[in-house]
Amino acid sequence: MSRIVIDCDPGIDDSLALMLALSSPELEIAGITTVSGNVPADMGGRNARKILSRMGRLDIPVYIGEAVPLRYDYTDAMDTHGSDGLGESFLPEASGDFPEKSAVEYLEELLERERISIIALGPMTNLARLFSKRPELIRQVDELVSMGGNFRSHGNCSPVAEYNYWCDPDAAACCYKLFAEAGKKIEMIGLDVTRKIVLTPNIVEYICRMDQETGEFIRKITNFYMDFHWEYEKIIGCVINDPLAVAYYIDRSMCSGFDSYTEVETEGICRGQTVVDSMDFWKKRPNSHILVKTDAGKFMRFFLARVMKKKDGSRWREEDLALPENLWYGEE
Ligand code: RIB
Ligand code: CA
């Protein structure tokens, strides 16, 4: 596996994704880049470093990315993630400063030197800025796994659009277009699969009983998110989209789907909608792999075994988790 960069907008589910990535020995994280999405890019940078500090990984550099979308006014999601972007947990700032270099400059220089994979968990503004300037660097990208979009699932910020691609539809459209021209496919982890990944209060309670420090931390940053889900979707729990993208990057059996040519609408009431040509009307070479099936239980066992630590600091094996029945929705 090549080294990876996580491009994100932390954000509560981004933070859980970072915790999962940092607890996964298969991954070598070269760096983290932030982009304005759930929260402004600079706040996302501070939040990413709060997570790195908790995990003892402040050695991983964090670069601040684009502050606004390519064209549209920036719309944050702090109503969902809280005024601090971490569920109003108001965690202490991590020590140390940010590099001078911007996220796009960092990604450009890194890709000039080595092949990397990118797990994109926010609007694709950084990637669009970089690849529209340097399209030849796309060939240096082993894999781009993007949490965003939706195939048959309804949207989460409009009837037809998912937030990351709605927030900056021009950036998403640009990336799908450039990847098509480069003959490469974006792995699209959209709402069709992420909606099945619901962190419930029972799961949080289970984590607390198995690893109290981790459980209380997750409870602290997700309570606000759970309140939002009850108020707007009458869900007891919260959909944690981003960790599934990390899990899928590590274990491709986590989700299944199909290759397709995809474009992103940038105008009007369907702004941000992913138009997936699943029936091949346009006879265009696929530029995306659309994930549509996942097993919530498989993901949760994967996630719990990695983010929880035993008292001696060692890692859990999934088969040793002794999970109570009905901890989560969607058990196959
Ligand atoms: O639509 C869900 C996505 O938008 C997630 O990545 C969430 O963190 C927000 O960025
Ligand atoms: Ca995100």
Side-chain angles (χ1 to χ4, degrees):
M1 265 188 191
S2 45
R3 296 206 300 165
I4 68 163
V5 169
I6 300 178
D7 188 65
C8 54
D9 58 337
I12 294 166
D13 58 333
D14 300 72
S15 298
L16 296 174
L18 290 176
M19 289 171 66
L20 176 59
L22 291 161
S23 306
S24 297
E26 301 90 339
L27 301 182
E28 185 180 352
I29 303 172
I32 292 170
T33 52
T34 67
V35 64
S36 285
N38 289 323
V39 297
D42 55 351
M43 181 186 287
R46 295 197 304 274
N47 287 343
R49 299 193 83 249
K50 290 176 183 178
I51 301 301
L52 290 174
S53 174
R54 179 184 176 274
M55 310 291 282
R57 292 302 311 274
L58 282 171
D59 59 295
I60 295 174
V62 178
Y63 296 86
I64 310 297
E66 296 297 300
V68 295
L70 298 186
R71 174 171 58 120
Y72 282 98
D73 289 345
Y74 166 47
T75 304
D76 67 46
M78 292 163 93
D79 60 335
T80 312
H81 293 261
S83 60
D84 66 340
L86 288 179
E88 304 198 346
S89 54
F90 302 115
L91 300 175
E93 298 293 341
S95 59
D97 298 318
F98 290 93
E100 281 298 310
K101 212 175 286 180
S102 72
V104 174
E105 288 165 340
Y106 165 69
L107 285 165
E108 182 175 13
E109 290 174 17
L110 185 64
L111 283 165
E112 282 175 340
R113 291 198 309 268
E114 69 182 86
R115 296 179 65 84
I116 62 161
S117 287
I118 300 169
I119 301 177
L121 306 176
M124 301 176 89
T125 316
N126 291 336
L127 304 184
R129 283 272 183 231
L130 169 63
F131 295 131
S132 48
K133 175 187 167 194
R134 300 287 305 276
E136 77 280 7
L137 291 180
I138 291 176
R139 65 166 168 263
Q140 288 285 93
V141 177
D142 275 339
E143 305 247 34
L144 170 55
V145 177
S146 165
M147 191 280 131
N150 45 306
F151 172 52
R152 294 247 185 269
S153 166
H154 61 77
N156 63 1
C157 64
S158 90
V160 295
E162 174 280 324
Y163 172 77
N164 285 334
Y165 291 8
W166 175 88
C167 178
D168 195 345
D170 301 289
C174 172
C175 288
Y176 278 83
K177 176 175 178 293
L178 290 174
F179 268 66
E181 290 168 1
K184 296 189 77 152
K185 292 194 286 281
I186 295 173
E187 300 281 340
M188 192 185 97
I189 298 284
L191 295 175
D192 304 86
V193 285
T194 67
R195 269 223 157 81
K196 295 175 181 163
I197 311 300
V198 181
L199 183 72
T200 65
N202 271 358
I203 296 173
V204 176
E205 186 57 32
Y206 172 77
I207 299 172
C208 288
R209 293 183 185 282
M210 300 287 280
D211 171 357
Q212 187 172 4
E213 191 275 330
T214 298
E216 294 302 341
F217 180 83
I218 291 177
R219 178 177 278 146
K220 190 186 296 184
I221 68 170
T222 58
N223 265 339
F224 186 98
Y225 202 35
M226 293 211 186
D227 292 345
F228 177 90
H229 279 75
W230 171 250
E231 188 176 341
Y232 291 93
E233 299 202 28
K234 291 297 174 272
I235 293 175
I236 300 288
C238 54
V239 174
I240 53 170
N241 306 279
D242 293 332
L244 185 62
V246 171
Y248 174 74
Y249 177 76
I250 296 168
D251 176 356
R252 295 300 145 100
S253 70
M254 203 60 71
C255 303
S256 62
F258 58 91
D259 287 351
S260 177
Y261 177 77
T262 296
E263 289 193 18
V264 179
E265 176 57 70
T266 59
E267 307 297 337
I269 62 169
C270 294
R271 161 187 166 179
Q273 181 174 17
T274 35
V275 183
V276 177
D277 186 13
S278 58
M279 301 304 289
D280 199 19
F281 286 105
W282 293 328
K283 302 288 181 262
K284 290 191 174 182
R285 182 174 169 178
N287 62 343
S288 57
H289 186 63
I290 306 295
L291 286 309
V292 292
K293 282 188 181 169
T294 191
D295 174 344
K298 180 180 177 71
F299 168 81
M300 278 299 170
R301 282 185 284 274
F302 182 96
F303 177 76
L304 292 171
R306 289 164 185 254
V307 298
M308 298 193 310
K309 296 295 176 287
K310 288 186 178 178
K311 287 188 175 36
D312 64 5
S314 63
R315 295 185 51 223
W316 287 94
R317 296 185 315 161
E318 290 185 31
E319 55 271 29
D320 295 339
L321 285 177
L323 290 159
E325 290 296 310
N326 306 321
L327 260 184
W328 47 72
Y329 302 117
E331 184 68 88
E332 304 297 322

